[in-house]
Amino acid sequence: MAPFFLGAFYPVVGLSRWDSWEDIKQLVKKEYLSTLVNNYKLWPAVQLANFYFVPLNLRLLVMNCSRVEHILILESKQSNRRLIHLLVSSLTRKLKKGCEDGTTDM
C-alpha cells in the first residue's frame, strides 16, 4: 500500500493547502521517490521488531503508534517546507518593496 498511500498523500496535502496543481506535481516529482525509499527503510524494521519482540496482544498497538508517528513525520516535513517558502516569499516582497521605495528597512 505504500506506493498508493504516498501517491495520494502529497496531492491531498497540497489540495488541503490550496496549492496549485503545478506545485503539487513538482512536489510529487521531487519528494515521492525519496519518501518511498525511506518508507521501505522504516517499515521492514518495524515489522521485524514487532513480530520478534512484541507480545501478540500489543502488536496492533505498536503498528498503530508507528503509523501515526510516520504520518506526523510526513506532515511535519511538508509543514516545514511550506513555512520556509512563506518566509522566503515574504522577505522577497519586502526587499522588492524596499528597493522600489529606496529604503531597505524591514
Side-chain angles (χ1 to χ4, degrees):
M1 292 298 293
F4 172 75
F5 172 75
L6 292 175
F9 174 78
Y10 288 114
V12 167
V13 168
L15 289 173
S16 71
R17 295 181 180 165
W18 298 98
D19 289 344
S20 69
W21 281 107
E22 288 302 317
D23 290 341
I24 294 171
K25 284 186 218 176
Q26 290 300 321
L27 181 64
V28 169
K29 285 180 184 179
K30 182 179 178 185
E31 296 293 329
Y32 179 78
L33 188 58
S34 66
T35 306
L36 187 62
V37 168
N38 287 330
N39 185 60
Y40 285 137
K41 290 177 185 176
L42 170 72
W43 286 108
V46 170
Q47 290 283 14
L48 187 68
N50 194 29
F51 285 120
Y52 281 109
F53 302 115
V54 178
L56 181 62
N57 61 333
L58 297 176
R59 287 182 185 168
L60 182 60
L61 178 64
V62 169
M63 290 308 298
N64 287 339
C65 291
S66 299
R67 176 55 71 187
V68 168
E69 184 178 346
H70 185 243
I71 291 170
L72 290 174
I73 290 168
L74 287 174
E75 183 56 34
S76 69
K77 186 177 177 182
Q78 292 302 311
S79 296
N80 288 340
R81 184 174 297 109
R82 183 72 174 167
L83 179 62
I84 290 169
H85 174 72
L86 289 173
L87 288 173
V88 168
S89 62
S90 174
L91 287 173
T92 304
R93 280 194 305 268
K94 287 182 179 182
L95 286 173
K96 284 182 183 178
K97 183 180 178 194
C99 289
E100 290 171 359
D101 296 343
T103 63
T104 56
D105 293 338
M106 293 207 200

mmCIF file of all heavy atoms in Angstrom, residues 21-60:
data_model
loop_
_atom_site.group_PDB
_atom_site.id
_atom_site.type_symbol
_atom_site.label_atom_id
_atom_site.label_comp_id
_atom_site.label_asym_id
_atom_site.label_seq_id
_atom_site.Cartn_x
_atom_site.Cartn_y
_atom_site.Cartn_z
ATOM 1 N N TRP A 21 -1.998 22.990 -8.997
ATOM 2 C CA TRP A 21 -1.679 21.643 -9.498
ATOM 3 C C TRP A 21 -0.214 21.559 -9.913
ATOM 4 O O TRP A 21 0.415 20.516 -9.769
ATOM 5 C CB TRP A 21 -2.585 21.265 -10.663
ATOM 6 C CG TRP A 21 -3.933 20.822 -10.203
ATOM 7 C CD1 TRP A 21 -5.107 21.514 -10.296
ATOM 8 C CD2 TRP A 21 -4.254 19.609 -9.528
ATOM 9 N NE1 TRP A 21 -6.123 20.804 -9.723
ATOM 10 C CE2 TRP A 21 -5.633 19.620 -9.262
ATOM 11 C CE3 TRP A 21 -3.513 18.505 -9.127
ATOM 12 C CZ2 TRP A 21 -6.273 18.578 -8.604
ATOM 13 C CZ3 TRP A 21 -4.163 17.463 -8.477
ATOM 14 C CH2 TRP A 21 -5.518 17.507 -8.222
ATOM 15 N N GLU A 22 0.318 22.635 -10.441
ATOM 16 C CA GLU A 22 1.733 22.628 -10.835
ATOM 17 C C GLU A 22 2.637 22.452 -9.617
ATOM 18 O O GLU A 22 3.619 21.720 -9.669
ATOM 19 C CB GLU A 22 2.085 23.912 -11.595
ATOM 20 C CG GLU A 22 1.500 23.978 -12.976
ATOM 21 C CD GLU A 22 1.925 22.805 -13.851
ATOM 22 O OE1 GLU A 22 3.117 22.433 -13.832
ATOM 23 O OE2 GLU A 22 1.056 22.237 -14.531
ATOM 24 N N ASP A 23 2.312 23.151 -8.521
ATOM 25 C CA ASP A 23 3.091 22.997 -7.296
ATOM 26 C C ASP A 23 2.999 21.565 -6.770
ATOM 27 O O ASP A 23 3.999 20.995 -6.319
ATOM 28 C CB ASP A 23 2.608 23.963 -6.216
ATOM 29 C CG ASP A 23 2.937 25.408 -6.531
ATOM 30 O OD1 ASP A 23 3.827 25.638 -7.382
ATOM 31 O OD2 ASP A 23 2.306 26.295 -5.934
ATOM 32 N N ILE A 24 1.813 20.984 -6.840
ATOM 33 C CA ILE A 24 1.621 19.612 -6.371
ATOM 34 C C ILE A 24 2.413 18.638 -7.232
ATOM 35 O O ILE A 24 3.077 17.737 -6.718
ATOM 36 C CB ILE A 24 0.121 19.257 -6.338
ATOM 37 C CG1 ILE A 24 -0.595 20.102 -5.289
ATOM 38 C CG2 ILE A 24 -0.084 17.774 -6.077
ATOM 39 C CD1 ILE A 24 -2.104 19.997 -5.319
ATOM 40 N N LYS A 25 2.373 18.837 -8.550
ATOM 41 C CA LYS A 25 3.128 17.953 -9.448
ATOM 42 C C LYS A 25 4.624 18.044 -9.179
ATOM 43 O O LYS A 25 5.322 17.024 -9.144
ATOM 44 C CB LYS A 25 2.862 18.320 -10.909
ATOM 45 C CG LYS A 25 1.530 17.858 -11.423
ATOM 46 C CD LYS A 25 1.470 18.155 -12.908
ATOM 47 C CE LYS A 25 0.101 18.607 -13.298
ATOM 48 N NZ LYS A 25 0.016 18.985 -14.709
ATOM 49 N N GLN A 26 5.128 19.257 -8.969
ATOM 50 C CA GLN A 26 6.549 19.431 -8.671
ATOM 51 C C GLN A 26 6.919 18.768 -7.345
ATOM 52 O O GLN A 26 7.976 18.151 -7.222
ATOM 53 C CB GLN A 26 6.911 20.917 -8.628
ATOM 54 C CG GLN A 26 6.869 21.595 -9.970
ATOM 55 C CD GLN A 26 7.837 20.950 -10.947
ATOM 56 O OE1 GLN A 26 8.942 20.562 -10.587
ATOM 57 N NE2 GLN A 26 7.414 20.835 -12.196
ATOM 58 N N LEU A 27 6.039 18.883 -6.360
ATOM 59 C CA LEU A 27 6.286 18.264 -5.068
ATOM 60 C C LEU A 27 6.336 16.742 -5.189
ATOM 61 O O LEU A 27 7.224 16.097 -4.636
ATOM 62 C CB LEU A 27 5.199 18.668 -4.070
ATOM 63 C CG LEU A 27 5.336 18.103 -2.664
ATOM 64 C CD1 LEU A 27 6.603 18.620 -2.004
ATOM 65 C CD2 LEU A 27 4.122 18.469 -1.843
ATOM 66 N N VAL A 28 5.406 16.177 -5.944
ATOM 67 C CA VAL A 28 5.388 14.724 -6.126
ATOM 68 C C VAL A 28 6.654 14.274 -6.851
ATOM 69 O O VAL A 28 7.292 13.297 -6.464
ATOM 70 C CB VAL A 28 4.111 14.278 -6.875
ATOM 71 C CG1 VAL A 28 4.209 12.826 -7.300
ATOM 72 C CG2 VAL A 28 2.882 14.492 -6.005
ATOM 73 N N LYS A 29 7.030 14.996 -7.899
ATOM 74 C CA LYS A 29 8.247 14.630 -8.640
ATOM 75 C C LYS A 29 9.484 14.710 -7.753
ATOM 76 O O LYS A 29 10.391 13.898 -7.857
ATOM 77 C CB LYS A 29 8.431 15.551 -9.849
ATOM 78 C CG LYS A 29 7.510 15.249 -10.987
ATOM 79 C CD LYS A 29 7.766 16.203 -12.135
ATOM 80 C CE LYS A 29 6.780 15.971 -13.267
ATOM 81 N NZ LYS A 29 6.993 16.906 -14.375
ATOM 82 N N LYS A 30 9.517 15.715 -6.881
ATOM 83 C CA LYS A 30 10.700 15.941 -6.056
ATOM 84 C C LYS A 30 10.766 14.983 -4.867
ATOM 85 O O LYS A 30 11.839 14.484 -4.529
ATOM 86 C CB LYS A 30 10.684 17.383 -5.550
ATOM 87 C CG LYS A 30 11.881 17.763 -4.722
ATOM 88 C CD LYS A 30 11.791 19.202 -4.290
ATOM 89 C CE LYS A 30 12.971 19.561 -3.412
ATOM 90 N NZ LYS A 30 12.866 20.902 -2.881
ATOM 91 N N GLU A 31 9.638 14.699 -4.218
ATOM 92 C CA GLU A 31 9.648 14.012 -2.933
ATOM 93 C C GLU A 31 9.209 12.555 -2.971
ATOM 94 O O GLU A 31 9.540 11.806 -2.065
ATOM 95 C CB GLU A 31 8.737 14.759 -1.953
ATOM 96 C CG GLU A 31 9.199 16.146 -1.631
ATOM 97 C CD GLU A 31 10.498 16.155 -0.862
ATOM 98 O OE1 GLU A 31 10.771 15.225 -0.094
ATOM 99 O OE2 GLU A 31 11.261 17.113 -1.049
ATOM 100 N N TYR A 32 8.456 12.137 -3.964
ATOM 101 C CA TYR A 32 7.840 10.813 -3.940
ATOM 102 C C TYR A 32 8.864 9.684 -3.810
ATOM 103 O O TYR A 32 8.747 8.838 -2.929
ATOM 104 C CB TYR A 32 6.968 10.607 -5.181
ATOM 105 C CG TYR A 32 6.315 9.257 -5.220
ATOM 106 C CD1 TYR A 32 5.204 8.990 -4.442
ATOM 107 C CD2 TYR A 32 6.814 8.245 -6.025
ATOM 108 C CE1 TYR A 32 4.602 7.753 -4.459
ATOM 109 C CE2 TYR A 32 6.214 6.996 -6.049
ATOM 110 C CZ TYR A 32 5.109 6.764 -5.268
ATOM 111 O OH TYR A 32 4.528 5.525 -5.291
ATOM 112 N N LEU A 33 9.850 9.662 -4.670
ATOM 113 C CA LEU A 33 10.796 8.551 -4.682
ATOM 114 C C LEU A 33 11.613 8.482 -3.392
ATOM 115 O O LEU A 33 11.771 7.405 -2.809
ATOM 116 C CB LEU A 33 11.720 8.645 -5.897
ATOM 117 C CG LEU A 33 12.624 7.440 -6.128
ATOM 118 C CD1 LEU A 33 11.806 6.173 -6.295
ATOM 119 C CD2 LEU A 33 13.503 7.664 -7.334
ATOM 120 N N SER A 34 12.103 9.623 -2.917
ATOM 121 C CA SER A 34 12.896 9.595 -1.681
ATOM 122 C C SER A 34 12.041 9.192 -0.481
ATOM 123 O O SER A 34 12.496 8.456 0.393
ATOM 124 C CB SER A 34 13.555 10.948 -1.429
ATOM 125 O OG SER A 34 12.595 11.932 -1.158
ATOM 126 N N THR A 35 10.793 9.644 -0.453
ATOM 127 C CA THR A 35 9.905 9.256 0.633
ATOM 128 C C THR A 35 9.580 7.771 0.574
ATOM 129 O O THR A 35 9.550 7.087 1.607
ATOM 130 C CB THR A 35 8.600 10.072 0.582
ATOM 131 O OG1 THR A 35 8.918 11.458 0.576
ATOM 132 C CG2 THR A 35 7.716 9.774 1.773
ATOM 133 N N LEU A 36 9.382 7.251 -0.619
ATOM 134 C CA LEU A 36 9.098 5.824 -0.777
ATOM 135 C C LEU A 36 10.291 4.973 -0.335
ATOM 136 O O LEU A 36 10.131 3.971 0.366
ATOM 137 C CB LEU A 36 8.724 5.513 -2.227
ATOM 138 C CG LEU A 36 8.239 4.100 -2.515
ATOM 139 C CD1 LEU A 36 6.963 3.799 -1.744
ATOM 140 C CD2 LEU A 36 8.010 3.923 -4.002
ATOM 141 N N VAL A 37 11.493 5.386 -0.697
ATOM 142 C CA VAL A 37 12.695 4.652 -0.284
ATOM 143 C C VAL A 37 12.837 4.687 1.242
ATOM 144 O O VAL A 37 13.111 3.659 1.870
ATOM 145 C CB VAL A 37 13.949 5.223 -0.984
ATOM 146 C CG1 VAL A 37 15.222 4.687 -0.354
ATOM 147 C CG2 VAL A 37 13.913 4.916 -2.465
ATOM 148 N N ASN A 38 12.632 5.853 1.848
ATOM 149 C CA ASN A 38 12.705 5.951 3.304
ATOM 150 C C ASN A 38 11.608 5.125 3.973
ATOM 151 O O ASN A 38 11.824 4.549 5.045
ATOM 152 C CB ASN A 38 12.617 7.403 3.760
ATOM 153 C CG ASN A 38 13.883 8.158 3.462
ATOM 154 O OD1 ASN A 38 14.964 7.576 3.448
ATOM 155 N ND2 ASN A 38 13.760 9.437 3.207
ATOM 156 N N ASN A 39 10.453 5.062 3.335
ATOM 157 C CA ASN A 39 9.365 4.233 3.837
ATOM 158 C C ASN A 39 9.782 2.764 3.862
ATOM 159 O O ASN A 39 9.528 2.056 4.839
ATOM 160 C CB ASN A 39 8.138 4.423 2.945
ATOM 161 C CG ASN A 39 6.933 3.688 3.467
ATOM 162 O OD1 ASN A 39 6.484 3.952 4.564
ATOM 163 N ND2 ASN A 39 6.421 2.762 2.678
ATOM 164 N N TYR A 40 10.446 2.311 2.802
ATOM 165 C CA TYR A 40 10.900 0.922 2.749
ATOM 166 C C TYR A 40 12.073 0.661 3.686
ATOM 167 O O TYR A 40 12.353 -0.479 4.013
ATOM 168 C CB TYR A 40 11.257 0.527 1.325
ATOM 169 C CG TYR A 40 10.033 0.313 0.462
ATOM 170 C CD1 TYR A 40 9.984 0.795 -0.830
ATOM 171 C CD2 TYR A 40 8.930 -0.372 0.945
ATOM 172 C CE1 TYR A 40 8.864 0.598 -1.616
ATOM 173 C CE2 TYR A 40 7.813 -0.569 0.167
ATOM 174 C CZ TYR A 40 7.782 -0.085 -1.111
ATOM 175 O OH TYR A 40 6.676 -0.280 -1.883
ATOM 176 N N LYS A 41 12.757 1.699 4.128
ATOM 177 C CA LYS A 41 13.795 1.523 5.150
ATOM 178 C C LYS A 41 13.171 1.375 6.539
ATOM 179 O O LYS A 41 13.685 0.645 7.371
ATOM 180 C CB LYS A 41 14.744 2.725 5.162
ATOM 181 C CG LYS A 41 15.638 2.824 3.954
ATOM 182 C CD LYS A 41 16.481 4.075 4.045
ATOM 183 C CE LYS A 41 17.314 4.292 2.809
ATOM 184 N NZ LYS A 41 18.061 5.560 2.884
ATOM 185 N N LEU A 42 12.088 2.077 6.785
ATOM 186 C CA LEU A 42 11.475 2.095 8.108
ATOM 187 C C LEU A 42 10.609 0.872 8.381
ATOM 188 O O LEU A 42 10.789 0.191 9.379
ATOM 189 C CB LEU A 42 10.628 3.364 8.265
ATOM 190 C CG LEU A 42 9.731 3.426 9.501
ATOM 191 C CD1 LEU A 42 10.592 3.623 10.732
ATOM 192 C CD2 LEU A 42 8.698 4.519 9.367
ATOM 193 N N TRP A 43 9.671 0.591 7.494
ATOM 194 C CA TRP A 43 8.637 -0.389 7.825
ATOM 195 C C TRP A 43 9.124 -1.831 7.939
ATOM 196 O O TRP A 43 8.629 -2.557 8.815
ATOM 197 C CB TRP A 43 7.461 -0.264 6.866
ATOM 198 C CG TRP A 43 6.689 0.961 7.215
ATOM 199 C CD1 TRP A 43 6.636 2.116 6.505
ATOM 200 C CD2 TRP A 43 5.932 1.193 8.406
ATOM 201 N NE1 TRP A 43 5.888 3.044 7.174
ATOM 202 C CE2 TRP A 43 5.444 2.497 8.341
ATOM 203 C CE3 TRP A 43 5.641 0.424 9.522
ATOM 204 C CZ2 TRP A 43 4.663 3.040 9.349
ATOM 205 C CZ3 TRP A 43 4.854 0.969 10.525
ATOM 206 C CH2 TRP A 43 4.372 2.263 10.427
ATOM 207 N N PRO A 44 10.033 -2.311 7.141
ATOM 208 C CA PRO A 44 10.509 -3.682 7.396
ATOM 209 C C PRO A 44 11.154 -3.827 8.779
ATOM 210 O O PRO A 44 10.962 -4.843 9.445
ATOM 211 C CB PRO A 44 11.524 -3.923 6.276
ATOM 212 C CG PRO A 44 11.061 -3.053 5.170
ATOM 213 C CD PRO A 44 10.544 -1.822 5.851
ATOM 214 N N ALA A 45 11.879 -2.806 9.221
ATOM 215 C CA ALA A 45 12.496 -2.861 10.558
ATOM 216 C C ALA A 45 11.424 -2.862 11.649
ATOM 217 O O ALA A 45 11.522 -3.619 12.626
ATOM 218 C CB ALA A 45 13.447 -1.684 10.740
ATOM 219 N N VAL A 46 10.402 -2.036 11.485
ATOM 220 C CA VAL A 46 9.315 -2.003 12.466
ATOM 221 C C VAL A 46 8.602 -3.350 12.502
ATOM 222 O O VAL A 46 8.318 -3.891 13.573
ATOM 223 C CB VAL A 46 8.327 -0.862 12.145
ATOM 224 C CG1 VAL A 46 7.071 -0.967 13.002
ATOM 225 C CG2 VAL A 46 8.988 0.491 12.346
ATOM 226 N N GLN A 47 8.327 -3.908 11.337
ATOM 227 C CA GLN A 47 7.631 -5.200 11.277
ATOM 228 C C GLN A 47 8.484 -6.307 11.901
ATOM 229 O O GLN A 47 7.968 -7.145 12.638
ATOM 230 C CB GLN A 47 7.300 -5.563 9.830
ATOM 231 C CG GLN A 47 6.242 -4.715 9.215
ATOM 232 C CD GLN A 47 4.842 -5.095 9.683
ATOM 233 O OE1 GLN A 47 4.648 -5.808 10.652
ATOM 234 N NE2 GLN A 47 3.854 -4.597 8.969
ATOM 235 N N LEU A 48 9.760 -6.311 11.595
ATOM 236 C CA LEU A 48 10.650 -7.331 12.140
ATOM 237 C C LEU A 48 10.693 -7.259 13.671
ATOM 238 O O LEU A 48 10.538 -8.277 14.361
ATOM 239 C CB LEU A 48 12.053 -7.157 11.552
ATOM 240 C CG LEU A 48 13.071 -8.226 11.890
ATOM 241 C CD1 LEU A 48 12.685 -9.542 11.231
ATOM 242 C CD2 LEU A 48 14.451 -7.797 11.429
ATOM 243 N N ALA A 49 10.876 -6.068 14.202
ATOM 244 C CA ALA A 49 10.893 -5.896 15.656
ATOM 245 C C ALA A 49 9.539 -6.255 16.259
ATOM 246 O O ALA A 49 9.466 -6.883 17.324
ATOM 247 C CB ALA A 49 11.264 -4.459 16.001
ATOM 248 N N ASN A 50 8.478 -5.873 15.580
ATOM 249 C CA ASN A 50 7.135 -6.146 16.078
ATOM 250 C C ASN A 50 6.873 -7.650 16.183
ATOM 251 O O ASN A 50 6.353 -8.128 17.184
ATOM 252 C CB ASN A 50 6.109 -5.479 15.169
ATOM 253 C CG ASN A 50 4.733 -5.422 15.784
ATOM 254 O OD1 ASN A 50 4.581 -5.363 16.992
ATOM 255 N ND2 ASN A 50 3.726 -5.434 14.946
ATOM 256 N N PHE A 51 7.248 -8.404 15.166
ATOM 257 C CA PHE A 51 6.959 -9.836 15.176
ATOM 258 C C PHE A 51 7.884 -10.633 16.090
ATOM 259 O O PHE A 51 7.502 -11.677 16.597
ATOM 260 C CB PHE A 51 7.005 -10.401 13.763
ATOM 261 C CG PHE A 51 5.800 -10.028 12.952
ATOM 262 C CD1 PHE A 51 5.938 -9.311 11.780
ATOM 263 C CD2 PHE A 51 4.530 -10.377 13.363
ATOM 264 C CE1 PHE A 51 4.831 -8.959 11.033
ATOM 265 C CE2 PHE A 51 3.416 -10.027 12.633
ATOM 266 C CZ PHE A 51 3.564 -9.319 11.461
ATOM 267 N N TYR A 52 9.109 -10.142 16.306
ATOM 268 C CA TYR A 52 10.044 -10.903 17.125
ATOM 269 C C TYR A 52 10.059 -10.510 18.596
ATOM 270 O O TYR A 52 10.358 -11.344 19.451
ATOM 271 C CB TYR A 52 11.464 -10.796 16.558
ATOM 272 C CG TYR A 52 11.665 -11.715 15.385
ATOM 273 C CD1 TYR A 52 11.775 -11.192 14.101
ATOM 274 C CD2 TYR A 52 11.737 -13.087 15.546
ATOM 275 C CE1 TYR A 52 11.949 -12.027 13.012
ATOM 276 C CE2 TYR A 52 11.906 -13.934 14.461
ATOM 277 C CZ TYR A 52 12.012 -13.399 13.198
ATOM 278 O OH TYR A 52 12.163 -14.227 12.131
ATOM 279 N N PHE A 53 9.795 -9.261 18.919
ATOM 280 C CA PHE A 53 9.984 -8.798 20.287
ATOM 281 C C PHE A 53 8.706 -8.378 21.013
ATOM 282 O O PHE A 53 8.708 -8.296 22.232
ATOM 283 C CB PHE A 53 10.971 -7.622 20.313
ATOM 284 C CG PHE A 53 12.303 -7.971 19.734
ATOM 285 C CD1 PHE A 53 12.755 -7.355 18.579
ATOM 286 C CD2 PHE A 53 13.113 -8.923 20.330
ATOM 287 C CE1 PHE A 53 13.986 -7.673 18.033
ATOM 288 C CE2 PHE A 53 14.345 -9.249 19.791
ATOM 289 C CZ PHE A 53 14.782 -8.627 18.639
ATOM 290 N N VAL A 54 7.645 -8.081 20.298
ATOM 291 C CA VAL A 54 6.432 -7.562 20.920
ATOM 292 C C VAL A 54 5.442 -8.708 21.139
ATOM 293 O O VAL A 54 5.213 -9.501 20.228
ATOM 294 C CB VAL A 54 5.804 -6.467 20.024
ATOM 295 C CG1 VAL A 54 4.512 -5.949 20.624
ATOM 296 C CG2 VAL A 54 6.789 -5.319 19.818
ATOM 297 N N PRO A 55 4.852 -8.791 22.320
ATOM 298 C CA PRO A 55 3.849 -9.828 22.561
ATOM 299 C C PRO A 55 2.643 -9.668 21.618
ATOM 300 O O PRO A 55 2.329 -8.559 21.178
ATOM 301 C CB PRO A 55 3.420 -9.605 24.012
ATOM 302 C CG PRO A 55 4.452 -8.745 24.624
ATOM 303 C CD PRO A 55 5.103 -7.995 23.517
ATOM 304 N N LEU A 56 1.992 -10.755 21.347
ATOM 305 C CA LEU A 56 0.899 -10.781 20.376
ATOM 306 C C LEU A 56 -0.192 -9.764 20.688
ATOM 307 O O LEU A 56 -0.679 -9.084 19.791
ATOM 308 C CB LEU A 56 0.295 -12.190 20.319
ATOM 309 C CG LEU A 56 -0.843 -12.403 19.339
ATOM 310 C CD1 LEU A 56 -0.362 -12.151 17.919
ATOM 311 C CD2 LEU A 56 -1.404 -13.798 19.475
ATOM 312 N N ASN A 57 -0.541 -9.619 21.947
ATOM 313 C CA ASN A 57 -1.642 -8.717 22.295
ATOM 314 C C ASN A 57 -1.278 -7.237 22.154
ATOM 315 O O ASN A 57 -2.150 -6.376 22.187
ATOM 316 C CB ASN A 57 -2.139 -8.998 23.711
ATOM 317 C CG ASN A 57 -1.067 -8.788 24.757
ATOM 318 O OD1 ASN A 57 0.131 -8.908 24.476
ATOM 319 N ND2 ASN A 57 -1.483 -8.491 25.975
ATOM 320 N N LEU A 58 0.003 -6.901 21.947
ATOM 321 C CA LEU A 58 0.416 -5.498 21.798
ATOM 322 C C LEU A 58 0.856 -5.144 20.371
ATOM 323 O O LEU A 58 1.202 -3.993 20.101
ATOM 324 C CB LEU A 58 1.559 -5.187 22.763
ATOM 325 C CG LEU A 58 1.226 -5.301 24.248
ATOM 326 C CD1 LEU A 58 2.465 -5.061 25.078
ATOM 327 C CD2 LEU A 58 0.116 -4.346 24.628
ATOM 328 N N ARG A 59 0.848 -6.101 19.472
ATOM 329 C CA ARG A 59 1.340 -5.849 18.111
ATOM 330 C C ARG A 59 0.527 -4.803 17.373
ATOM 331 O O ARG A 59 1.085 -3.956 16.673
ATOM 332 C CB ARG A 59 1.392 -7.145 17.321
ATOM 333 C CG ARG A 59 2.504 -8.040 17.759
ATOM 334 C CD ARG A 59 2.567 -9.291 16.942
ATOM 335 N NE ARG A 59 3.599 -10.169 17.486
ATOM 336 C CZ ARG A 59 3.746 -11.420 17.148
ATOM 337 N NH1 ARG A 59 2.937 -11.965 16.251
ATOM 338 N NH2 ARG A 59 4.693 -12.151 17.694
ATOM 339 N N LEU A 60 -0.777 -4.868 17.494
ATOM 340 C CA LEU A 60 -1.618 -3.882 16.815
ATOM 341 C C LEU A 60 -1.341 -2.475 17.337
ATOM 342 O O LEU A 60 -1.263 -1.516 16.568
ATOM 343 C CB LEU A 60 -3.090 -4.238 16.981
ATOM 344 C CG LEU A 60 -4.080 -3.321 16.282
ATOM 345 C CD1 LEU A 60 -3.836 -3.319 14.777
ATOM 346 C CD2 LEU A 60 -5.493 -3.741 16.587
#
